[in-house]
Amino acid sequence: MTTSDTHHRTLIPLLGPAFVAAVAYVDPGNVAANITAGARYGYLLVWVLLASNIFAMVIQYLSAKLGLVTGKSLPTLLGERMTPPGRIAFWLQAEIVAAATDLAEVIGGALALHLLFGLPLLWGGVIIGVVSMGLLLVQGGGRQRRFEAIIVALLAIITLGFLAGLVVAPPSGAGVASGLLPRFRGTDSVLVAASMLGATVMPHAVYLHSSLVNDHEAGPALPSTSDARHSHGHLARLLRATRIDIYWALGVAGLVNIGLLLLAAAALAGQSGTDTIEGAHAAISATLGPLVGTVFAVGLLASGLASTSVGAYAGSEIMSGLLHVRVPLLVRRLVSLIPALVILGAGAEPTWSLVVSQVALSFGIPFAIIPLMSLTAKREVMGEYANTTALRVCGFLIAAVIVALNLFLVYLTLTGQG
């Protein structure tokens, strides 16, 4: 066996956390945004998704690196540096963000059940909540790797469900190539691009990844993460494995998002009513056939189930890190499900609810990524693993672009221009 083979066999058990975080990048909100972009503008905004995926890789790597080097999650490190009132205030905004995330994901899953079986949205939301509780039961009791395996399986279903249509309606090579050139077509295309990029980085995924890498169990053949911090060589191997994990996981998520845009550009361009998930499903079924529409709905269902489970997990880690309170995951899942079910039961328009949830997320993003960039740049926190000057500049530029675009989205929404 070669040294390279040995390295790969050693790294494989360390992979997994990034796939859990990557689910945030293929949630129902992303589906609606990317379908809208492709249907309205064809291949014009492919470059936006490519850039946003690179941004996501950098941010998720910094979150994971922070967790591995310090042995603490981002919420825990922030909690240690805040006064009690500050911790409570920060926790409240993070909880609002988690609730907004949950709202979009439960609605997306409920829509999928409605499209597949004609179930009322409220009952669909209840079913999504119950199944997600089952997934969270798997996560508890030191069964982190089993939970990761289920999430990876759901991610595979999401990928197949959303990309199957490309077999029936392959994109234009020339169109894809032209979409790599950064440009816009009018003010509305800027708004759509801002939605795609601004909604890419989910605050709960940033908080969670720093915790996932420490919860992940590498197995008996490898030392624990806490031991690894006393071994320079092993920590270097963990960081290398984390980079590979992120490349693969977010590479898949990026492929799904770009694939959705390409599918819409190839099959739905110019059609009206495709700026909602229901409208997109109807258009896909009418244009590509009911089988492709069903497979798409199955992908949407997997997206809702996976992302709502991960969202509840993230909320638990945020509360634990900031308030040092550990609420059982199932109790938390039940409480966070209530607002989504109330909105579904009240008959609120699903697309409007998704828009409101995205605005709430926009407010929460700066609170996650700016502290992340700051902490990973400090030698007193990261030691020799503090960000290099180039990475610091790159990180803060990414943070500035994402924050500016999210503030722009909030402004357009509040002024009625979005």
Side-chain angles (χ1 to χ4, degrees):
M1 185 180 294
T2 66
T3 304
S4 176
D5 290 336
T6 303
H7 274 303
H8 282 104
R9 288 171 63 88
T10 305
L11 289 174
I12 285 172
L14 298 169
L15 305 181
F19 284 86
V20 176
V23 165
Y25 296 87
V26 288
D27 73 355
N30 291 89
V31 175
N34 297 326
I35 289 283
T36 298
R40 286 189 190 175
Y41 300 106
Y43 302 99
L44 181 74
L45 300 177
V46 171
W47 66 274
V48 176
L49 287 178
L50 191 61
S52 64
N53 211 55
I54 294 170
F55 288 2
M57 286 181 174
V58 173
I59 290 170
Q60 293 302 142
Y61 174 66
L62 292 180
S63 175
K65 184 173 80 164
L66 179 70
L68 285 172
V69 172
T70 65
K72 299 175 181 179
S73 69
L74 175 58
T76 299
L77 289 166
L78 291 174
E80 291 175 351
R81 288 160 173 74
M82 291 178 176
T83 61
R87 283 193 286 118
I88 292 171
F90 197 95
W91 169 74
L92 283 173
Q93 67 80 27
E95 285 292 347
I96 292 171
V97 166
T101 304
D102 211 43
L103 175 65
E105 291 156 354
V106 172
I107 288 176
L111 272 173
L113 289 173
H114 175 69
L115 295 173
L116 286 167
F117 307 110
L119 286 179
L121 290 177
L122 176 59
W123 284 109
V126 171
I127 292 171
I128 292 296
V130 170
V131 176
S132 68
M133 287 183 187
L135 290 175
L136 291 171
L137 276 175
V138 173
Q139 187 274 333
R143 295 185 292 271
Q144 176 71 16
R145 290 178 63 79
R146 190 180 303 172
F147 179 71
E148 290 170 2
I150 292 174
I151 293 298
V152 169
L154 287 171
L155 191 57
I157 295 171
I158 293 166
T159 304
L160 292 173
F162 290 155
L163 300 186
L166 291 175
V167 177
V168 182
S172 156
V176 175
S178 70
L180 298 176
L181 178 66
R183 66 197 192 284
F184 296 104
R185 188 187 303 151
T187 307
D188 188 59
S189 69
V190 179
L191 174 61
V192 173
S195 330
M196 295 159 67
L197 180 57
T200 293
V201 178
M202 293 293 183
H204 70 285
V206 178
Y207 294 126
L208 181 60
H209 207 156
S210 58
S211 176
L212 284 170
V213 290
N214 288 318
D215 290 344
H216 181 80
E217 295 180 2
L222 294 166
S224 68
T225 306
S226 57
D227 293 337
R229 276 186 296 280
H230 302 291
S231 164
H232 183 281
H234 188 63
L235 182 51
R237 191 158 83 252
L238 285 170
L239 290 171
R240 180 181 169 219
T242 296
R243 286 193 292 272
I244 295 170
D245 198 25
I246 289 169
Y247 294 152
W248 276 101
L250 292 187
V252 169
L255 182 66
V256 170
N257 284 320
I258 292 173
L260 282 166
L261 185 148
L262 297 182
L263 176 63
L268 309 178
Q271 295 191 35
S272 60
T274 57
D275 52 354
T276 67
I277 292 176
E278 282 183 290
H281 174 263
I284 288 171
S285 298
T287 307
L288 304 179
L291 178 60
V292 176
T294 299
V295 173
F296 175 85
V298 170
L300 179 63
L301 177 59
S303 169
L305 284 173
S307 52
T308 193
S309 303
V310 171
Y313 184 13
S316 174
E317 294 301 316
I318 292 167
M319 178 181 280
S320 174
L322 286 168
L323 301 186
H324 310 298
V325 174
R326 178 69 72 173
V327 175
L329 268 175
L330 293 188
V331 174
R332 180 179 184 85
R333 165 73 282 186
L334 188 60
V335 171
S336 64
L337 186 62
I338 292 172
L341 294 181
V342 168
I343 288 174
L344 288 173
E349 207 283 309
T351 302
W352 176 84
S353 302
L354 286 171
V355 168
V356 172
S357 73
Q358 293 304 307
V359 173
L361 282 172
S362 298
F363 281 114
I365 287 175
F367 293 100
I369 61 176
I370 292 176
L372 173 67
M373 298 302 174
S374 177
L375 287 170
T376 53
K378 292 180 178 178
R379 291 192 68 85
E380 60 266 32
V381 176
M382 303 294 289
E384 63 183 290
Y385 295 98
N387 295 342
T388 61
T389 301
L391 188 53
R392 283 202 297 272
V393 171
C394 178
F396 278 108
L397 281 175
I398 289 172
V401 169
I402 293 174
V403 170
L405 283 171
N406 276 279
L407 290 175
F408 179 57
L409 269 181
V410 172
Y411 167 76
L412 289 176
T413 303
L414 295 180
T415 57
Q417 299 175 53

